[in-house]
Amino acid sequence: QVQVVESGGGLVQPGGSLRLSCAASGSIFTIYTMGWYRQAPGKQRELVAFITSGGGTNNADSVKGRFTISRDTVENAVYLQMNSLKPEDTAVYYCNADLATKSNTRLTYRYWGQGTQVTVSS
């Protein structure tokens, strides 16, 4: 069993900041990539940023220069620092982890969190 849990969402004014956190726990052998996606009402889920086990990162063009993804490999956690937030950043943010479990170390599975709401509004 693996659990992925996000926290840190909320309501913020335009131009403000929020920091999202996500932790994976359970029968984990190793985590390869962790990332953040978001889904706004009426839109498809889109990639926001991801970070590899080696620390390589990739951000969506819409958040470059404003959002920073980071990772704690010891704690199996990933963070998303969001600055200069805009109303169009309003969405449910989902964390995911691509990992191998202790019961099958040769396969990679993607686990998702339940999502955390971020609302940017004055």
Side-chain angles (χ1 to χ4, degrees):
Q1 290 280 4
V2 174
Q3 298 81 38
V4 176
V5 180
E6 306 102 332
S7 62
L11 173 64
V12 64
Q13 292 187 340
S17 298
L18 277 177
R19 186 176 189 248
L20 304 183
S21 300
C22 170
S25 62
S27 184
I28 297 170
F29 175 69
T30 191
I31 299 179
Y32 299 107
T33 300
M34 299 187 79
W36 290 95
Y37 284 70
R38 66 186 181 187
Q39 187 167 19
K43 294 187 177 182
Q44 290 188 331
R45 190 174 295 191
E46 62 176 2
L47 174 68
V48 176
F50 68 83
I51 184 166
T52 68
S53 57
T57 63
N58 191 26
N59 288 9
D61 288 342
S62 59
V63 306
K64 283 181 179 177
R66 301 188 298 122
F67 291 9
T68 302
I69 188 170
S70 60
R71 182 171 172 174
D72 184 332
T73 55
V74 174
E75 297 295 329
N76 289 336
V78 65
Y79 309 97
L80 187 68
Q81 178 65 43
M82 304 185 295
N83 299 329
S84 302
L85 282 160
K86 305 175 181 180
E88 51 263 44
D89 295 318
T90 296
V92 178
Y93 283 70
Y94 296 91
C95 171
N96 76 275
D98 295 335
L99 57 86
T101 63
K102 292 180 181 178
S103 61
N104 194 332
T105 61
R106 288 185 285 181
L107 292 180
T108 302
Y109 298 92
R110 172 163 289 187
Y111 288 85
W112 291 91
Q114 79 289 350
T116 185
Q117 177 70 46
V118 172
T119 302
V120 185
S121 175
S122 55

